[in-house]
Amino acid sequence: MTVRLVKAFLKPLQKEDVLNISGGKRGRITIHEVASAAGVSISTASKALNDTGRMGAETRERVKRIAGEIGYRPNALARGLLSKRSFTIGLLTNDTYGRFTLPVMAGISDALVDHGVSVFLCAIEDDPALAQIHVDAMLDKQVDGIIATGKRLDRRLPVDLSNLHVPVVYAFTEGTQNSVTFRSDDEQGARLAVEWLVKAGRRRIAHITGPEEFFSVRERAGAYHVVAGHREPVLYGVWSESWGHEAVDQLWKRPGEKPDALFCGNDQIARGASDALRERGVKVPRDVSVIGFDNWEIVAAQTRPPLTTVDMELKELGRQAGLTVLALAEGRPVEPGVRKLPCRLIVRQSCGGKAPKD
Amino acid sequence: MTVRLVKAFLKPLQKEDVLNISGGKRGRITIHEVASAAGVSISTASKALNDTGRMGAETRERVKRIAGEIGYRPNALARGLLSKRSFTIGLLTNDTYGRFTLPVMAGISDALVDHGVSVFLCAIEDDPALAQIHVDAMLDKQVDGIIATGKRLDRRLPVDLSNLHVPVVYAFTEGTQNSVTFRSDDEQGARLAVEWLVKAGRRRIAHITGPEEFFSVRERAGAYHVVAGHREPVLYGVWSESWGHEAVDQLWKRPGEKPDALFCGNDQIARGASDALRERGVKVPRDVSVIGFDNWEIVAAQTRPPLTTVDMELKELGRQAGLTVLALAEGRPVEPGVRKLPCRLIVRQSCGGKAPKD
DNA sequence: GTCAAGTGAGAAAAGGTTTTCTCATGCAAT
DNA sequence: ATTGCATGAGAAAACCTTTTCTCACTTGAC
């Protein structure tokens, strides 16, 4: 076999050599080291570093300076043991391939890193047993709170979080009675899209979307009906490009006037529809405007032409969820209920027109 | 405003009511509760639960039973403080939108959950300051190890992890001297792809790929040359569908015989190429075989026809990285070096042929 | 009846930090 | 000169486990 083995970290000689504090204990640098280096007791050292207690300004400064010099960093485990705050939260998701979870996660992390909070990511794939294991592990590790997130607004995670003695916030997944839930305002998003088409002068707007049993499909379709009327049918199907393609075939095979705009339930459908239109020689956006939903960059930006679409602002959603769970963890009161966050229109080239005036 | 506020968790009346153990302390259930409920000392309780020490079998059983009944779970913070193992690792990534990180992460989590290890996810977006903040936070929280992962084999994360007193493993990103690094074997993957084309009887195999400065591009191109010879050119470009599209235009505009197969550097390029071929009336796979790289489901499966492609087995890569960092954390010696993990061919319909014989 | 060995269980220390309590000193006021 | 008070700093307890050490008691052997 081989000669050199990676065991170096067992003996942190680096550290030992650079700073031989107080008899070379083999562990990390503790507040004891700081105290003895500064010639004070550990209680004084602690108070100096935390800006608490009474002491001479000179002492406080000296302790702080020395702590900085020897690279002291408090052990969060010990601190957490006493304060009952671990500065750690758990993020539970069943969206393994991350279309929705990733932006949410980025938002949470972004909001919490400033507060010194780290995030445990737990991917449970609709497996109740696995979910329970992860929840138990998080609880054992004394998380300050849990955020549950998923890939669908109208589905629960396969684990009951309602009676934990730790705050829980739901983001982009169905919550429980009296919980705090964040979700996108799909109705407003759909309105945004359809109004954009109307403003562009389109009148025969068709809606190609996903399965009717999805709550967000019904919400979007509802808003579509309100704004566009019932002049064109709603085509329910699945969330795939090929359905978008097929739906266009269906629409164009019908006798009579063709739609002059397609409001699609997601970007994949919109992409399939765009491809189908191009194959039929129908020009986008000259003859027909196409608008998507989700702003999934990889799909929307690569469609020909690039898709105008609705962004659900999932990162902002995550940010708010993070701030909320933090507030709860700190005991600040938070109103329960469902909070709908507005969507935003992303204007690319599939509808003509310019960016919205706002 | 509103009436009911979510503060219930502050007073876990649920728990309190269900189990009024030993004077109703307001915190969690500790080993003290177990001990007093079982009529033994805390040391005996601890030994009973951990199957250590000497005691009567009856006592041991009784303690365990009672612990289970009152729902005792040891506080990982306290345990970690003493054992110096937090059963926590940190995962550092700069791949925010997760094409590569997500599978790696899933593998890590999958491998470690069985060992009671939880994973801190830290998304640093090529921001050295942010990276340092996250690393410090992880270290404060006494992680047992760190896995660094990225979106490119030949790039470092913007933070130096080489002198931490905690083990570090690199996965799908460039490591440091004497570290353990896991990466996909792109050469073998490319060989797999080109050999598959050759076996299907293709002789004029072109290679459309990404920017030449990518290490993996050069490795794949190298393997391509070895297997396919130098009969067709390598077209370097960018990682986009439109480049795939354009490259096909370039190839088909040349005089002389056209390629009968395209080995593409990733699935997006392959998709663009497939679209271009279809638009030219060239049938895939009848006239030309197309093969991709990455097995990015959302692209590969939605291409027409669905793409045969090379999967880098990132989940397995993550699994091994997880197991390795765990081994290091437990002090088991591990050989340093770069470990290349084999890729696997995913056969769909863009090359004809059946699944490999293995 | 004494001693050795073995058995079951508790006391105490340790881990790193924060916080409360106590103490000593010095100074001003009586 | 004694009291009262503010100030600076340390001792000790607490958080929850695990582990080592010690002790009391039983049993079997001489």
Side-chain angles (χ1 to χ4, degrees):
Chain A
M1 275 294 165
T2 284
V3 192
R4 284 179 101 311
L5 297 186
V6 174
K7 299 185 62 174
F9 68 91
L10 283 175
K11 305 228 167 175
L13 26 89
Q14 201 74 9
K15 288 264 174 193
E16 291 284 73
D17 291 349
V18 172
L19 6 117
N20 43 358
I21 306 300
S22 82
K25 290 242 206 166
R26 63 182 122 287
R28 305 267 232 282
I29 295 166
T30 74
I31 200 167
H32 287 91
E33 272 78 57
V34 177
S36 76
V40 297
S41 70
I42 55 166
S43 14
T44 302
S46 173
K47 284 181 292 190
L49 295 171
N50 293 301
D51 277 327
T52 59
R54 291 179 319 202
M55 73 184 52
E58 187 274 336
T59 311
R60 200 181 288 278
E61 275 318 303
R62 181 164 42 90
V63 173
K64 281 183 175 175
R65 181 173 46 75
I66 290 178
E69 279 169 16
I70 68 182
Y72 166 70
R73 310 222 80 211
N75 181 328
L77 263 43
R79 186 186 288 212
L81 187 57
L82 200 51
S83 69
K84 300 190 168 306
R85 292 266 282 111
S86 63
F87 289 92
T88 281
I89 69 146
L91 177 57
L92 217 55
T93 174
N94 68 350
D95 177 25
T96 320
Y97 282 87
R99 162 69 192 95
F100 301 110
T101 290
L102 271 171
V104 174
M105 217 156 60
I108 294 172
S109 181
D110 186 58
L112 294 184
V113 71
D114 300 330
H115 300 267
V117 175
S118 305
V119 180
F120 282 126
L121 179 68
C122 305
I124 62 176
E125 11 214 324
D126 291 312
D127 175 344
L130 183 61
Q132 193 59 54
I133 290 175
H134 270 126
V135 170
D136 288 345
M138 297 185 325
L139 259 24
D140 289 352
K141 281 161 188 149
Q142 313 291 117
V143 290
D144 295 334
I146 294 178
I147 299 178
T149 182
K151 52 193 168 196
R152 200 170 151 179
L153 287 176
D154 50 355
R155 280 284 183 276
R156 288 230 152 83
L157 256 39
V159 59
D160 180 23
L161 303 173
S162 58
N163 280 323
L164 269 31
H165 50 287
V166 98
V168 177
V169 168
Y170 297 85
F172 210 79
T173 191
E174 174 126 15
T176 53
Q177 200 66 30
N178 269 356
S179 63
V180 186
T181 305
F182 289 91
R183 45 161 294 205
S184 51
D185 189 344
D186 288 54
E187 200 178 325
Q188 172 265 352
R191 228 182 308 123
L192 222 50
V194 184
E195 283 168 357
W196 181 249
L197 294 172
V198 169
K199 234 182 301 181
R202 304 303 182 171
R203 289 297 167 266
R204 295 184 309 284
I205 304 171
H207 184 30
I208 310 174
T209 187
E212 196 170 1
E213 64 265 25
F214 275 63
F215 176 73
S216 50
V217 165
R218 295 194 301 274
E219 273 217 326
R220 294 171 194 174
Y224 158 79
H225 277 134
V226 170
V227 180
H230 289 76
R231 275 161 292 197
E232 296 289 335
V234 175
L235 286 84
Y236 297 100
V238 296
W239 294 121
S240 73
E241 289 188 33
S242 56
W243 161 237
H245 204 280
E246 186 198 320
V248 165
D249 289 345
Q250 287 183 19
L251 286 169
W252 260 256
K253 253 185 270 169
R254 295 182 316 170
E257 274 195 314
K258 308 306 174 207
D260 59 5
L262 300 178
F263 168 39
C264 299
N266 77 356
D267 289 343
Q268 287 174 270
I269 292 175
R271 169 154 197 181
S274 296
D275 286 347
L277 291 172
R278 180 159 14 85
E279 284 163 25
R280 293 182 162 270
V282 179
K283 295 289 184 205
V284 175
R286 198 196 61 192
D287 306 327
V288 173
S289 292
V290 175
I291 199 162
F293 211 106
D294 283 356
N295 190 30
W296 194 358
E297 286 277 336
I298 188 62
V299 178
Q302 300 274 326
T303 301
R304 290 183 291 160
L307 276 178
T308 291
T309 185
V310 177
D311 187 301
M312 291 187 286
E313 302 270 39
L314 293 174
K315 187 165 180 182
E316 177 59 25
L317 197 152
R319 206 175 278 125
Q320 297 207 19
L323 258 19
T324 303
V325 80
L326 185 64
L328 288 166
E330 289 171 352
R332 300 203 300 273
V334 172
E335 270 180 58
V338 177
R339 304 245 215 300
K340 289 194 216 173
L341 266 57
C343 302
R344 190 161 56 101
L345 193 70
I346 305 294
V347 177
R348 292 200 184 84
Q349 295 147 47
S350 65
C351 295
K354 309 270 182 327
K357 13 191 162 214
D358 63 344
Chain B
M1 276 294 167
T2 285
V3 192
R4 283 177 102 310
L5 297 187
V6 176
K7 300 185 61 175
F9 68 92
L10 282 176
K11 304 226 168 178
L13 24 89
Q14 200 76 9
K15 289 264 173 191
E16 290 284 73
D17 291 349
V18 172
L19 8 115
N20 43 357
I21 306 299
S22 82
K25 290 242 204 163
R26 64 182 122 286
R28 306 265 231 283
I29 296 165
T30 75
I31 200 169
H32 287 92
E33 272 77 55
V34 177
S36 77
V40 297
S41 71
I42 55 168
S43 15
T44 302
S46 173
K47 285 182 292 190
L49 294 172
N50 293 302
D51 277 328
T52 59
R54 292 180 319 204
M55 73 185 54
E58 187 272 339
T59 312
R60 202 182 286 280
E61 275 318 305
R62 182 164 41 91
V63 172
K64 281 182 174 175
R65 182 173 45 75
I66 290 179
E69 280 171 12
I70 68 181
Y72 167 70
R73 310 222 79 210
N75 181 329
L77 263 41
R79 183 182 285 195
L81 187 57
L82 201 50
S83 68
K84 301 192 168 304
R85 292 267 281 113
S86 63
F87 288 91
T88 281
I89 69 145
L91 177 58
L92 216 55
T93 174
N94 68 351
D95 178 25
T96 321
Y97 283 88
R99 161 70 191 93
F100 301 109
T101 290
L102 270 170
V104 174
M105 216 156 59
I108 294 173
S109 180
D110 187 57
L112 294 184
V113 70
D114 300 330
H115 300 266
V117 175
S118 305
V119 180
F120 282 127
L121 179 68
C122 304
I124 61 174
E125 10 214 325
D126 291 312
D127 176 345
L130 184 61
Q132 194 58 54
I133 290 175
H134 271 125
V135 170
D136 288 345
M138 295 184 328
L139 258 23
D140 289 352
K141 281 160 188 151
Q142 313 291 117
V143 290
D144 295 334
I146 294 179
I147 299 178
T149 181
K151 53 195 168 195
R152 200 170 151 178
L153 285 176
D154 50 355
R155 279 283 184 276
R156 289 231 151 82
L157 256 39
V159 60
D160 180 23
L161 303 172
S162 57
N163 280 324
L164 269 32
H165 51 288
V166 99
V168 178
V169 168
Y170 298 85
F172 210 79
T173 192
E174 174 125 15
T176 53
Q177 201 64 30
N178 269 355
S179 62
V180 185
T181 304
F182 288 92
R183 44 160 296 203
S184 51
D185 189 344
D186 289 53
E187 202 179 324
Q188 172 264 353
R191 227 180 310 122
L192 223 50
V194 184
E195 282 168 358
W196 181 248
L197 294 172
V198 170
K199 234 180 303 180
R202 304 304 182 169
R203 287 299 168 263
R204 297 184 307 284
I205 303 171
H207 184 31
I208 309 174
T209 187
E212 197 170 1
E213 65 263 27
F214 276 63
F215 176 73
S216 51
V217 165
R218 296 194 301 274
E219 274 217 326
R220 294 171 195 174
Y224 158 77
H225 276 133
V226 170
V227 180
H230 290 77
R231 274 161 292 198
E232 296 288 333
V234 174
L235 287 84
Y236 298 100
V238 296
W239 294 122
S240 72
E241 288 188 34
S242 56
W243 161 238
H245 203 282
E246 186 197 320
V248 165
D249 289 345
Q250 287 183 18
L251 286 171
W252 260 256
K253 253 184 270 169
R254 295 184 315 171
E257 273 193 317
K258 309 305 175 208
D260 59 5
L262 300 177
F263 168 40
C264 299
N266 77 356
D267 290 343
Q268 288 173 271
I269 292 175
R271 171 157 194 179
S274 297
D275 286 348
L277 292 173
R278 179 158 15 83
E279 286 164 24
R280 293 182 163 271
V282 178
K283 296 288 183 208
V284 176
R286 198 195 60 190
D287 306 326
V288 173
S289 291
V290 176
I291 198 161
F293 211 105
D294 285 356
N295 191 29
W296 193 358
E297 286 278 334
I298 188 63
V299 177
Q302 299 275 326
T303 301
R304 290 182 290 161
L307 277 177
T308 291
T309 185
V310 177
D311 188 304
M312 292 185 285
E313 302 271 37
L314 294 174
K315 188 166 180 183
E316 177 59 23
L317 198 152
R319 207 175 278 124
Q320 297 207 20
L323 259 19
T324 303
V325 80
L326 185 64
L328 287 166
E330 290 171 352
R332 301 203 299 273
V334 172
E335 268 181 61
V338 177
R339 303 244 215 300
K340 290 195 216 173
L341 266 57
C343 302
R344 191 162 54 102
L345 194 70
I346 305 294
V347 177
R348 293 201 182 82
Q349 294 148 46
S350 66
C351 295
K354 310 269 182 326
K357 10 190 162 213
D358 63 345

